[in-house]
Amino acid sequence: MTSSLSPVVRNHLSALRILLVLTAITGFLYPLAVTGVAQGAFPYQANGSRITRHGTTMGSTLLGQNFTLPEDRRRNSGRAPGPDPAWFQPRPSAGGYDPLASGASNLGPDNPVLVRTIEARRAAVARFDGVDPRDVPADAVTASGSGLDPHISAAYAHEQVNRVARVRGLRPATVHALVTAHIQGRVLGFLGERRVNVVQLNAALANHR
Amino acid sequence: MSGTLAGWLQILALVAALALSYRPLGDAIAHVLTTPRHLRVERLVYRLVGVNGDADQRWSAYLRGVLAFSAVSVLFLYGFLRLQNLLPLSLGRPPMPADQSFNTAASFVTNTNWQSYAGESTLGHLVQMAGLAVQNFVSAAVGISVVAALIRGFTRKETDRVGNFWVDLTRITLRILLPLAFVFAIVLVAGGVIQNLHGAESIPTIAGGHQSLTGGPVASQEVIKELGTNGGGFYNANSSHPFENPNAFTNWLEIYLLLAIAFALPRTFGRMAGDHRQGYAIVAVMALIWAASVAIVTVDELHSVSSRAGHAAGAMTEGKEQRFGVWASALFAASTTLTSTGAIDSAHDSYSPFGGGMTIFNMMLGEIAPGGTGSGLYGILVLAVIAVFVAGLMVGRTPEYLGKKLRGREMKFASLYILTTPTVVLAGAALAMARPGERAGMLNPGPHGFSEVLYAFTSAGNNNGSAFAGLSVDTTWYNTALGLAMLFGRFLPMVFILALAGSLAGQAPVPVTAGTLPTHRPLFVGLLTGVVLIVVGLTYFPALSLGPLAEGLQ
């Protein structure tokens, strides 16, 4: 059938056919098989490790969220809502914790804009939490790579305890214990960093009545 | 456990895992590339495609196969991206613009996976799964196919046949990449990577706001993105996104996957050459350079509170995820830029001047330590040819490698290979810097801005695909220029490699004599490492001194 075609055309037809065959295998059969096994064996993970309350999805343990004041309580319209002192605050985010806009600030290590931003964040966090600016840890003043980092350091979590306890009318020791219970060690003891998941911590705080 | 001890342990565990898989994986690939037996499904594929699986090709026919397959792939993917709005699972996304579609198609077919788009806001699930992820498989298989032809050039005697491209492509995809991808995709899902076909779902948050929870077949694409040293993220944030890389274990596994095949291929080389020591010598050079690079990036990120932002914050945490920390991020950064992967788990643009500069230098080495799947091994074998030639010049003998003489013809192809990528990179960066509109794309001021442009062309020309992502590259000029840089940087070297393979295969081997340079001893490992650093260092030193070096020494 194809023997009458020129070798160049025949070569490209072979190329197209093998692409279509491999697309069928690696582009359809393979991802659908993985989806099937994943949904069957690990439905919780495959669907995004969701946090639910009374049957409603309230987020994912993997994705950070904003814990800001409701929009209608904004002091000046046009400004982004400020952090809500009743919640533990996550790291700064380049994308405002919007999963449709993941990403980093991409500001260079000697960029004056980044230096000024970090200094302003340090002052703001210290004022907000009522602590010495020197005690504000690095993760509290730097944006993550994804803009969706759900974690903060244990130091930053502890640093926020007094403010959260005061606003919620809880004993600092109670909130401190809650934070300590949410500190996650390194995976297998040596992979990655120690951290506190802000979303899970705040979800626990919401249930703490 | 202290942070330093934990950091060392994650590196040592990685080295141990790579050492454990070196033999079985390398031997498995060698078996797939040499066995005369076809699987039943492969016979079916050859019948559907209309090729003879038992007929070996001349180097020129092999090359025509590679080029035809890649050309068809670029057109197919281009069409797919342009028409995605008409297809199911498009999530209502409009077609990708023409210049960006060209850039993306060239990017995924060349195993670069440079992305001037943000996945979560641009693409539907079907084009990710059946367009981009397919190229993740086959572009990696093309790389291994080409190095298989080169190895056959060394090992075969007086023949003009270097293998059958269709057979190599099919076998590597179906027997190596597909089973590994399937198993580790499930492991990634168990670790928390998502795998579904949902669109974005608006949900109430704990504090009473709203958030869009995204879905997608992420794990199946994530695994081959690393295993095939592709690096194109499902999401804009790539492997720093928690849905692609939810914890420090998946992070460690992803680093392992992106290194595994490239580090095992020297075993394949040694086995096919009938002398495992040749493979050990090559892998030793790769490992030396990798270890040095990991050390430099890690030390720089740990101690770079000397940069102004690092000093202001107290640690180099800008652009890094809390769950990974500095050690795991630096390990990922060094590995991804040395392997042509280009996935990132932290923002390289915010790395310290020397740490970020090292990621550029890693790519400039030509992606050879261990490099991309296949392309890493053929890259370092060309440098081995150069090293043998240099040694031959010193003692005044005709150089030979694995019994094959390196005559004028072979050295011409090796030299052309070495010159191609630097030409593409430096000419591209110079052109961009000469154009005010393109200079305006820089996000950061001063030498760091130049580093962004240099990084972009280094990444494209060497088919890495990572970025100093501050540079605004979604413009017609950058999409076109970087698209062309990726195509030239991928296929011109392949032409020279296959021509070299054909030239070597035609030779009768010369007997080993007392004057033959042994290419499995530490002396050769040192010589080859030196050649790698000198060839690259001299080529790129002026450009590096204008960017990261100027920045770091300020």
Side-chain angles (χ1 to χ4, degrees), chain A residues 44 47-52 57 59-61, chain B residues 196 198 201 203 213-214:
Chain A
Y44 171 74
N47 293 314
S49 307
R50 292 163 180 232
I51 298 174
T52 52
T57 302
S60 162
T61 63
Chain B
N196 59 59
H198 309 154
E201 178 188 341
I203 53 149
L213 210 54
T214 54

Side-chain angles (χ1 to χ4, degrees), chain A residues 30 91 102 105 111 142 149, chain B residues 120 220 236 317-318 322 444:
Chain A
Y30 156 74
R91 297 178 64 183
S102 67
S105 76
N111 190 326
T142 52
D149 194 345
Chain B
E120 62 264 40
S220 56
N236 186 47
T317 49
E318 179 73 24
Q322 176 66 32
N444 287 288

Side-chain angles (χ1 to χ4, degrees), chain A residues 147-159:
Chain A
L148 296 166
D149 194 345
H151 297 110
I152 55 176
S153 64
Y156 187 32
H158 281 304
E159 189 248 75

Side-chain angles (χ1 to χ4, degrees), chain A residues 2 8 10-28 30-39 41-42 45-51 53 56-60 62-70 84 87 91 97-112 114-115 118-119 121-122 136-139 141-154 186-196 198-200 202-203 206, chain B residues 1-3 6-7 9-10 13 45 48-51 64-65 68-69 71-73 76 93 120-121 126 129-130 134-135 137-138 166 169-170 173-174 178 181-182 185-186 189-198 200-201 203-207 211-214 217 219-221 223-224 235-237 240-243 246-249 252 307-310 312-328 347 349-353 443-445 448 452 469-470 551:
Chain A
T2 53
V8 176
R10 229 172 31 225
N11 198 27
H12 283 77
L13 274 180
S14 296
L16 179 61
R17 284 195 209 142
I18 204 163
L19 177 64
L20 293 176
V21 170
L22 293 178
T23 299
I25 298 172
T26 61
F28 288 94
Y30 156 74
L32 294 178
V34 173
T35 309
V37 174
Q39 291 290 338
F42 305 104
Q45 292 96 318
N47 293 314
S49 307
R50 292 163 180 232
I51 298 174
R53 195 161 61 196
T56 310
T57 302
M58 307 292 288
S60 162
L62 300 178
L63 303 183
Q65 301 184 355
N66 284 317
F67 292 92
T68 46
L69 293 164
D84 187 337
W87 300 106
R91 297 178 64 183
Y97 287 99
D98 179 3
L100 293 174
S102 67
S105 76
N106 290 310
L107 295 172
D110 290 303
N111 190 326
L114 178 59
V115 177
I118 288 173
E119 282 162 358
R121 283 174 185 153
R122 181 178 297 282
V136 176
D139 60 300
V141 295
T142 52
S144 62
S146 64
L148 296 166
D149 194 345
H151 297 110
I152 55 176
S153 64
R186 295 191 175 89
V187 178
L188 304 176
F190 67 98
L191 294 174
E193 279 300 328
R194 274 158 47 86
R195 67 223 176 274
V196 172
V198 185
V199 179
Q200 286 177 316
N202 279 335
Chain B
M1 189 182 296
S2 81
L9 281 176
Q10 28 189 5
V45 171
L48 284 173
V49 175
V51 295
R64 282 197 298 273
F69 181 69
V72 166
S73 293
F76 182 81
R93 302 277 154 73
E120 62 264 40
S121 56
L126 191 70
M129 169 175 113
V134 170
Q135 287 303 321
F137 278 97
V138 295
W166 311 111
L169 173 69
T170 308
T173 306
L174 298 185
L178 195 59
F182 185 82
I186 303 299
V189 173
V193 180
I194 65 167
Q195 179 74 23
N196 59 59
L197 297 173
H198 309 154
E201 178 188 341
I203 53 149
T205 61
I206 294 168
Q211 193 177 39
S212 295
L213 210 54
T214 54
S220 56
Q221 186 163 338
V223 67
I224 190 62
Y235 296 112
N236 186 47
S240 70
H241 194 297
F243 277 176
N247 58 55
F249 169 72
W252 181 88
S307 79
R308 291 169 55 208
M316 294 298 286
T317 49
E318 179 73 24
K320 296 192 179 69
E321 300 285 296
Q322 176 66 32
R323 63 192 180 283
F324 306 144
V326 171
W327 280 84
D349 214 344
S350 299
Y351 270 48
S352 62
L443 173 71
N444 287 288
H448 197 78
E452 290 182 338
E551 192 186 349

Side-chain angles (χ1 to χ4, degrees), chain B residues 143-189:
Chain B
I144 300 177
S145 301
V146 170
V147 80
L150 178 62
I151 297 173
R152 293 184 191 119
F154 280 112
T155 57
R156 291 185 178 179
K157 298 169 192 124
E158 296 175 274
T159 172
D160 57 358
R161 309 285 153 156
V162 296
N164 183 314
F165 171 66
W166 311 111
V167 171
D168 288 341
L169 173 69
T170 308
R171 286 187 181 178
I172 292 159
T173 306
L174 298 185
R175 294 200 209 178
I176 301 289
L177 300 176
L178 195 59
L180 285 175
F182 185 82
V183 170
F184 285 107
I186 303 299
V187 175
L188 285 180
V189 173

